[in-house]
């Protein structure tokens, strides 16, 4: 290298100037994370005093209602202000009727949380896969998931969550027309303040594997390709989001997060709606596994993925890392 030539470079812009010190980098930082944009998913089971770790998701537990209350109080103390509840009922049948049992784990947890931790926003996942004995997201007729019959069941589940006091219901089933049906039913029964966070662009992803371990919701036969989206499609995601907004969604979602950051950015740019991204179980499990092997620096990798999701356009990040990230950010 001819140092003489390098030293005489006449550069009008030196982009490295703004990276020279921690304070300079902080001054020009474009993307920030805060604990109150993180939503913590929780798996609620029956019983009391239950805190059972999910093998493929270190740090994530099946919690009975009393333990969930303790978990949420701890999360709140760390700055997390919203949770997303999934139910693990003991009873399952072929139409998922335990999804709208007023005494079910989700409904009971909503009531307990609204009583014990009223400052925390409670969202509930609305789907049938945790409640059907076959593990499908809907009613199966002749081997097919029957769209309109399933929507009727989802409406009943959403109403039971709203009646228990949920702030947000979050349909994750990907049936057509469910957002509009839920909105109408909520309004007719005086729940016009209950918000809908629609899993609008939910892809048929391999990254849900550990969740199905946690929620005991793997389909017994077949897969979810006839309702969840094809990972190859981006424009179709915009149509899904457009439709959910037209039907009354307050918040739209892209899921998973990291493999779909392009979709997230397009959704945010096009609609400018409050947009959530779900860093799903497999994304979390990959980081945990690599960290346990000493292959990555976990705190840095965690914050880098969350920052990337935020930079792409997420207003809300649903992540199993919510508590760890909140602690790292404080
Ligand atoms: C359906 C639902 C799933 C997830 C959230 N809601 C599972 C599925 O579609 O199979 C996945 C979340 C994750 O992987 O973390 N109730």
């Amino acid at each position: 290298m001819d140092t003489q030539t390098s030293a005489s470079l006449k550069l009008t812009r030196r982009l490295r100037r703004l990276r020279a010190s921690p304070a300079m980098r902080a001054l020009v930082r474009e993307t920030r994370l805060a604990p109150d944009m993180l939503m913590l998913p929780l798996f609620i089971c029956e019983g009391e005093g239950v805190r059972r770790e999910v093998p493929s998701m270190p740090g994530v537990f099946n919690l009975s209602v009393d333990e969930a209350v303790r978990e949420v109080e701890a999360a709140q103390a760390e700055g997390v202000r919203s949770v997303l509840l999934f139910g693990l009922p003991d009873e399952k049948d072929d139409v998922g009727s335990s999804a709208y049992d007023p005494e079910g784990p989700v409904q009971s947890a909503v009531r307990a949380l609204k009583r014990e931790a009223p400052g925390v926003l409670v969202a509930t996942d609305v789907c049938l896969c945790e409640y059907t004995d076959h593990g499908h997201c809907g009613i199966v007729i002749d081997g097919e998931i029957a769209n309109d019959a399933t929507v009727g069941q989802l409406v009943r589940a959403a109403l039971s969550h709203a009646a228990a006091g949920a702030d947000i219901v979050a349909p994750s089933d990907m049936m057509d027309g469910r957002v509009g049906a839920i909105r109408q039913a909520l309004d007719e029964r005086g729940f016009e303040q209950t918000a809908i966070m629609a899993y609008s662009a939910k892809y048929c992803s391999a990254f849900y594997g550990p969740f199905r371990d946690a929620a005991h919701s793997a389909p017994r036969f077949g897969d979810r390709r006839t309702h969840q989206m094809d990972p190859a499609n981006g424009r179709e995601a915009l149509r899904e989001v457009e439709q959910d907004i037209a039907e009354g969604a307050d918040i739209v979602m892209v899921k998973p997060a990291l493999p779909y950051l392009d979709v997230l950015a397009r959704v945010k740019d096009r609609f400018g709606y409050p947009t959530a991204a779900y860093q799903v179980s497999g994304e979390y499990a990959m980081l945990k596994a690599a960290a346990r092997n000493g292959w990555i620096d976990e705190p840095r990798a965690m914050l880098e993925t969350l920052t990337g999701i935020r930079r792409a356009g997420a207003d809300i990040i649903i992540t199993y890392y919510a508590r760890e990230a909140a602690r790292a950010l404080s």
Side-chain angles (χ1 to χ4, degrees), residues 43 57 86 125-130 137 172-173 199 202 207-212 217 224 228 255 278-282 320:
F43 299 101
M57 301 175 73
F86 294 90
D125 185 85
V126 176
C127 190
L128 297 185
C129 66
E130 299 117 69
C137 305
S172 67
D173 51 282
Y199 287 69
K202 177 174 178 178
F207 293 101
Y208 306 149
F211 172 95
R212 293 177 189 173
S217 64
R224 309 215 199 286
Q228 298 181 348
K255 173 189 176 191
Y278 197 145
Q279 182 180 49
V280 300
S281 56
Y320 302 96

Side-chain angles (χ1 to χ4, degrees), residues 71-222:
E71 180 78 11
V72 171
E73 286 170 341
Q76 186 178 23
E78 291 161 349
V80 175
R81 299 175 70 181
S82 62
V83 295
L84 175 61
L85 306 185
F86 294 90
L88 286 82
D90 285 346
E91 298 297 325
K92 303 190 186 204
D93 61 22
D94 61 343
V95 295
S97 53
S98 54
Y100 44 85
D101 176 357
E103 302 307 319
V106 166
Q107 292 82 353
S108 306
V110 171
R111 284 192 299 269
L113 290 172
K114 285 285 117 190
R115 194 170 58 235
E116 308 291 334
V120 174
L121 214 54
V122 179
T124 57
D125 185 85
V126 176
C127 190
L128 297 185
C129 66
E130 299 117 69
Y131 304 91
T132 51
D133 48 18
H134 44 66
H136 279 294
C137 305
I139 293 180
V140 180
I141 299 175
D142 297 334
E144 307 276 341
I145 297 166
N147 191 87
D148 300 10
T150 298
V151 169
Q153 293 294 81
L154 296 165
V155 165
R156 297 168 85 170
L159 283 173
S160 75
H161 297 173
D167 300 290
I168 302 173
V169 293
S172 67
D173 51 282
M174 290 297 279
M175 296 301 115
D176 288 322
R178 89 277 207 222
V179 171
I182 290 172
R183 184 70 272 158
Q184 189 186 335
L186 288 172
D187 290 352
E188 280 168 5
R189 285 163 186 79
F191 299 117
E192 53 280 284
Q193 288 303 318
T194 309
I196 298 178
M197 175 168 73
Y199 287 69
S200 303
K202 177 174 178 178
Y203 286 88
C204 188
S205 171
F207 293 101
Y208 306 149
F211 172 95
R212 293 177 189 173
D213 252 11
H216 312 295
S217 64
R220 294 273 155 80
F221 58 90

